Amino acid sequence: MASLDITLSNGLRDVRLELTLEVGSETVALVGPSGAGKSSILRAIAGLLRPDEGCIALDGTPWLDTASGVDVPPENRSVGLVFQEYALFPHLSVRANVAFGATNPSLVDEILERLRIGGLAGERPGRLSGGERQRVALARAIAREPAVLLLDEPLSALDAHTRDAVRGELRELLASLRLPTILVTHDFEDAASLADRVGVMVEGRLLQIGTASALVAAPADPFVARFTGATLLHGIAQPGRDGLTRVVLDVGGVAFTTDVGVGRVAVAVHPWEVAVSRTAPEDATVNHIEAPIDSLVTIGNRVRIRVGPLAGEITAGSAERLGLREGDTVVASFKATAARLIHLA
């Protein structure tokens, strides 16, 4: 199995990037805010940025080793790079764009057909849609027959409708290639859909890495929890009863969780774990907050709702049956098993 090993230390504008990461024949998504160092990692791997210190090696062969002076030039690194804005040559046809730098020009038409753009071979990039340009950029990267694939915000330039369709196509492509692939994005949904593992970066540090479901189930940091879409309720944890931890919330009231902890904590609750009703649950260990509805937003057959500090997502049918309106006082509840505890310093 191919393995890309990365150790980097580099000063950025406001922070220092420190990273140690191993990527096998898989897709790893790096997510986080702007300035976290995500794109700098791609540039260092591609040879477009020389870090202050570090080592980058593919299957044990170094592309970069600042200690020994190794620095393989970009054109000699087996990397396929898809830039955020695709960086296609406007004066060249689709076929010529893909053929540029291809290791085997005879395979260009096969790659175009694979990415469903064979019929656009003679077109110029300016006449293509966003989704079509994205496919051309991917085709050009693949035509290099790279050992490593790097994707910098590959879906950010697409509208919502096109993004959903292209996300599915890209997921199938990455699964079939099984190359060491690093994908940079601001969008957790993109990362969760496309990557085998997701790494959350903030201020040059990798806070947590794991499968998307693992990050949701056990966020190690408040930022990770928020990035996965959770609401955070801060409070003080103390031993409860029946094996539950009792959290006295800053906003008032008490929440119970099956997680164990004491002291200052945050309780992370994801929207799909929140139920909405007109009356409080009879089970005292089912957490609930009674408050007016601050907002209701219908998206397809789902309704996003905010009740006091809690954000929930329920079906449109449920919202209609309950006759929900903004300003109505309702009860938002979630089970103790759905409350994830994050310990705060």
Side-chain angles (χ1 to χ4, degrees), residues 8 35 37 56 59 114 150 173 175-176 189 227 253 268:
L8 296 176
I56 299 171
D59 292 334
R114 182 179 185 181
L150 306 176
L173 176 65
S176 67
E189 186 174 353
F227 206 85

Side-chain angles (χ1 to χ4, degrees), residues 163-177:
R163 189 177 188 132
D164 286 342
V166 174
R167 184 192 287 136
E169 295 173 0
L170 181 55
R171 180 171 58 247
E172 293 178 7
L173 176 65
L174 295 177
S176 67
L177 292 174

Side-chain angles (χ1 to χ4, degrees), residues 11-88:
L12 303 178
R13 184 176 60 187
D14 299 316
V15 299
R16 174 160 285 276
L17 171 63
E18 301 281 357
L19 176 76
T20 299
L21 179 64
E22 180 180 349
V23 183
S25 298
E26 60 178 335
T27 298
V28 172
L30 298 178
V31 300
S34 298
K38 305 183 302 297
S39 293
S40 295
I41 294 168
L42 299 190
R43 294 176 63 216
I45 296 168
L48 304 177
L49 167 70
R50 181 182 172 89
D52 300 332
E53 298 177 59
C55 181
I56 299 171
L58 179 69
D59 292 334
T61 301
W63 286 352
L64 171 77
D65 187 345
T66 55
S68 62
V70 173
D71 190 2
V72 175
E75 62 271 19
N76 293 335
R77 299 189 186 192
S78 185
V79 169
L81 175 59
V82 177
F83 294 94
Q84 183 173 352
E85 298 298 332
Y86 310 142
L88 301 176

Side-chain angles (χ1 to χ4, degrees), residues 7-345:
T7 303
L8 296 176
S9 178
N10 192 63
L12 303 178
R13 184 176 60 187
D14 299 316
V15 299
R16 174 160 285 276
L17 171 63
E18 301 281 357
L19 176 76
T20 299
L21 179 64
E22 180 180 349
V23 183
S25 298
E26 60 178 335
T27 298
V28 172
L30 298 178
V31 300
S34 298
K38 305 183 302 297
S39 293
S40 295
I41 294 168
L42 299 190
R43 294 176 63 216
I45 296 168
L48 304 177
L49 167 70
R50 181 182 172 89
D52 300 332
E53 298 177 59
C55 181
I56 299 171
L58 179 69
D59 292 334
T61 301
W63 286 352
L64 171 77
D65 187 345
T66 55
S68 62
V70 173
D71 190 2
V72 175
E75 62 271 19
N76 293 335
R77 299 189 186 192
S78 185
V79 169
L81 175 59
V82 177
F83 294 94
Q84 183 173 352
E85 298 298 332
Y86 310 142
L88 301 176
F89 300 115
H91 62 292
L92 296 181
S93 67
V94 166
R95 180 183 283 109
N97 264 280
V98 176
F100 184 86
T103 56
N104 187 347
S106 65
L107 295 179
V108 167
D109 286 333
E110 179 183 326
I111 294 170
L112 293 179
E113 291 300 329
R114 182 179 185 181
L115 291 177
R116 304 172 195 172
I117 50 175
L120 302 173
E123 297 287 353
R124 301 284 179 87
R127 294 175 56 84
L128 304 181
S129 69
E132 291 166 344
R133 288 195 296 274
Q134 196 255 14
R135 292 186 186 95
V136 176
L138 279 169
R140 185 176 63 183
I142 294 169
R144 293 199 66 194
E145 297 184 276
V148 173
L149 188 60
L150 306 176
L151 309 177
D152 192 357
E153 298 280 2
L155 304 179
S156 65
L158 305 179
D159 60 71
H161 175 74
T162 305
R163 189 177 188 132
D164 286 342
V166 174
R167 184 192 287 136
E169 295 173 0
L170 181 55
R171 180 171 58 247
E172 293 178 7
L173 176 65
L174 295 177
S176 67
L177 292 174
R178 300 310 295 174
L179 296 175
T181 299
I182 299 180
L183 178 152
V184 160
T185 179
H186 287 80
D187 191 296
F188 183 73
E189 186 174 353
D190 286 347
S193 298
L194 298 172
D196 301 288
R197 290 188 294 152
V198 179
V200 181
M201 294 197 66
V202 176
E203 296 182 344
R205 296 181 301 115
L206 188 61
L207 291 181
Q208 187 175 358
I209 186 166
T211 63
S213 58
L215 298 189
V216 169
D221 182 272
F223 183 90
V224 176
R226 284 193 296 268
F227 206 85
T228 62
T231 296
L232 295 183
L233 303 174
H234 291 82
I236 303 294
Q238 51 194 226
R241 63 180 186 276
D242 300 325
L244 299 177
T245 297
R246 183 176 184 268
V247 182
V248 180
L249 300 175
D250 293 351
V251 295
V254 173
F256 293 93
T257 173
T258 53
D259 289 351
V260 177
V262 293
R264 190 74 182 160
V265 299
V267 178
V269 185
H270 284 87
W272 55 85
E273 302 285 5
V274 176
V276 177
S277 61
R278 290 287 184 178
T279 57
E282 295 182 3
D283 187 343
T285 63
V286 173
N287 304 298
H288 65 275
I289 291 177
E290 186 171 358
I293 297 174
D294 292 327
S295 66
L296 280 170
V297 179
T298 301
I299 302 177
N301 65 345
R302 309 291 295 177
V303 175
R304 294 178 182 174
I305 182 170
R306 177 163 287 280
V307 178
L310 276 179
E313 186 171 296
I314 62 176
T315 66
S318 295
E320 185 175 356
R321 284 194 299 274
L322 291 169
L324 300 181
R325 299 288 185 275
E326 287 190 14
D328 288 357
T329 296
V330 296
V331 176
S333 60
F334 56 96
K335 296 179 179 179
T337 53
R340 302 271 65 89
L341 208 60
I342 301 172
H343 298 270
L344 304 178

